[in-house]
């Protein structure tokens, strides 16, 4: 039965990923008849990878080619598939270590990164902008994604309702019920931390992810999507680092399709945040 639900999920989710500019993402959010073409970097040789310490924000898992795409203002999407392939430099910023430690606890079997640069000038208050977006839970039902299988746009969430919000220490918490068709209602917990130069948003599934209320697909606290924004003074840019991970069963025949489908969920959420800035 688990196999059948995963197949159903596959054909309901998009199966695409891409590198595009922020402007392209914003245009696609408005023009639903303009699907974005997809390009994914091929495997990079070791000679083309960054050396540790060569860039303060990323480690040797990031290639020079990928860094050049970021410097051109493109959105880089990486199917990393394994926690060891995370490109973020964990020692660079205050929240980066906490983010990666949290993701390691999930032990994800599907993992993707979404990274882009956002010019600082004119966006000096970016952490506050992200903070405001978070509390508009009802707007989440308008987040679109493009389904290659169906060749049309769908909503990432068909239902979203804010249930509670509170603060504890230096963290803000938001509890939201959402529906990701064809799955059942899931209670999500958003956690937010911010300073003048950093913003960390993490979303976890507080309840299990089920189908028809009886088939368990993902256990509680085993799915996380995070958006980490921090200031890079060398380039005078904000860096938006998105990462999504889930611990779910693997089926070798369908692994690639499931991975890309999950990657598209992470991409769609990041697109939403970018379009609202």
């Amino acid at each position: 039965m688990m196999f059948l639900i995963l197949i159903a999920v596959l054909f309901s989710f998009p199966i695409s990923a891409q590198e595009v500019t922020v402007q392209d993402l914003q245009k696609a959010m408005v023009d639903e008849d303009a699907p974005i073409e997809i390009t994914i970097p091929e495997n990079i040789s070791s000679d083309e990878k960054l050396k540790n310490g060569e860039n303060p924000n990323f480690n040797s898992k990031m290639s020079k080619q990928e860094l050049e795409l970021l410097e051109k203002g493109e959105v880089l999407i990486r199917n990393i598939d394994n926690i060891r392939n995370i490109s973020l430099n964990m020692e660079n910023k205050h929240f980066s270590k906490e983010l990666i430690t949290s993701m390691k606890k999930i032990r994800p079997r599907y993992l993707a990164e979404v990274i882009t640069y956002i010019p600082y000038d004119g966006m000096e208050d970016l952490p506050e902008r992200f903070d405001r977006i978070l509390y508009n839970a009802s707007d989440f039902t308008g987040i679109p994604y493009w389904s290659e299988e169906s060749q049309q746009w769908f909503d990432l969430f068909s239902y979203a309702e804010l249930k509670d919000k509170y603060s504890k220490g230096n963290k803000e918490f938001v509890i939201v019920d959402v529906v990701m068709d064809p799955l059942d209602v899931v209670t999500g917990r958003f956690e937010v931390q911010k300073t003048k130069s950093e913003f960390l948003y993490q979303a976890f599934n507080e309840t299990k992810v089920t189908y028809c209320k009886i088939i368990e697909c993902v256990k509680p606290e085993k799915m996380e999507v995070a958006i980490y924004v921090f200031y890079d003074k060398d380039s005078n840019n904000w860096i938006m680092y998105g990462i999504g991970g889930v611990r779910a069963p693997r089926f070798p025949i369908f692994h690639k399709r499931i991975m890309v489908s999950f990657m598209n969920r992470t991409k769609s959420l990041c697109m939403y945040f970018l379009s609202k800035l």
Side-chain angles (χ1 to χ4, degrees):
M1 291 297 292
M2 176 64 77
F3 180 80
L4 293 178
I5 177 55
L6 284 174
I7 296 300
V9 169
L10 283 178
F11 286 102
S12 299
F13 290 175
I15 49 172
S16 61
Q18 60 203 3
E19 301 159 3
V20 294
T21 64
V22 173
Q23 290 74 22
D24 287 336
L25 292 176
Q26 292 171 330
K27 180 178 184 296
M29 296 291 291
V30 176
D31 183 1
E32 295 192 347
D33 294 323
I36 305 172
E37 294 300 322
I38 301 155
T39 56
I40 302 176
E42 300 295 332
N43 291 331
I44 307 298
S45 69
S46 58
D47 292 339
E48 295 176 308
K49 291 184 177 180
L50 292 176
K51 296 181 177 61
N52 283 324
E54 186 173 348
N55 184 285
N57 303 307
F58 304 105
N59 58 37
S60 60
K61 301 300 181 181
M62 173 77 72
S63 72
K64 295 178 181 178
Q65 176 189 356
E66 289 170 327
L67 186 61
E68 287 174 0
L69 290 170
L70 289 174
E71 291 172 346
K72 291 177 182 177
E74 297 189 3
V75 177
L76 177 67
I77 299 179
R78 305 181 75 240
N79 170 6
I80 55 178
D81 204 38
N82 191 297
I83 200 76
R84 293 190 299 267
N85 294 326
I86 287 177
S87 65
L88 183 67
N89 184 353
M90 188 167 67
E91 305 301 328
N92 185 41
K93 298 291 182 181
H94 176 65
F95 293 143
S96 58
K97 186 173 183 178
E98 181 174 345
L99 169 58
I100 295 175
T101 300
S102 171
M103 192 61 69
K104 284 181 177 179
K105 289 180 180 178
I106 292 177
R107 297 167 60 207
R109 288 175 172 158
Y110 301 94
L111 195 62
E113 293 177 319
V114 180
I115 312 169
T116 192
Y117 287 2
I118 301 172
Y120 179 80
D121 294 337
M123 288 281 187
E124 294 85 352
D125 61 340
L126 192 62
E128 289 75 18
R129 295 190 188 203
F130 272 99
D131 204 17
R132 289 194 295 269
I133 295 169
L134 174 65
Y135 288 99
N136 294 324
S138 60
D139 289 349
F140 291 2
T141 54
I143 301 175
Y145 68 80
W146 175 254
S147 171
E148 292 291 333
E149 179 65 28
S150 302
Q151 288 294 296
Q152 58 183 308
W153 292 94
F154 292 95
D155 285 342
L156 180 62
F157 302 112
S158 60
Y159 169 84
E161 180 182 358
L162 177 66
K163 306 297 290 185
D164 193 15
K165 57 182 179 180
Y166 58 92
S167 298
K168 181 188 270 188
N170 65 339
K171 283 187 179 181
E172 299 173 14
F173 296 83
V174 179
I175 309 301
V176 178
D177 280 350
V178 298
V179 173
M180 301 176 287
D181 290 333
L183 304 174
D184 300 318
V185 176
V186 178
T187 297
R189 182 184 72 259
F190 302 162
E191 300 182 7
V192 177
Q193 301 179 75
K194 61 180 183 292
T195 66
K196 290 184 178 180
S197 59
E198 293 181 82
F199 175 93
L200 175 59
Y201 158 89
Q202 294 169 279
F204 304 88
N205 64 312
E206 278 201 336
T207 59
K208 60 186 178 182
V209 180
T210 61
Y211 177 70
C212 292
K213 299 182 179 180
I214 57 172
I215 302 172
E216 182 177 296
C217 303
V218 182
K219 294 181 181 297
E221 306 292 340
K222 289 300 180 181
M223 182 166 59
E224 177 182 358
V225 175
I227 296 177
Y228 176 40
V229 177
F230 59 94
Y231 177 63
D232 176 44
K233 64 180 181 180
D234 292 335
S235 65
N236 195 35
N237 286 315
W238 292 104
I239 296 178
M240 192 192 82
Y241 175 85
I243 185 169
V246 61
R247 183 168 180 81
R250 281 195 182 193
F251 296 96
I253 296 175
F254 297 102
H255 173 71
K256 183 176 180 180
R257 182 172 289 186
I258 296 173
M259 178 62 238
V260 179
S261 297
F262 179 74
M263 186 161 53
N264 236 13
R265 282 196 169 279
T266 305
K267 179 198 71 177
S268 295
L269 188 61
C270 292
M271 284 173 62
Y272 169 74
F273 275 90
L274 286 171
S275 71
K276 295 294 183 179
L277 296 178

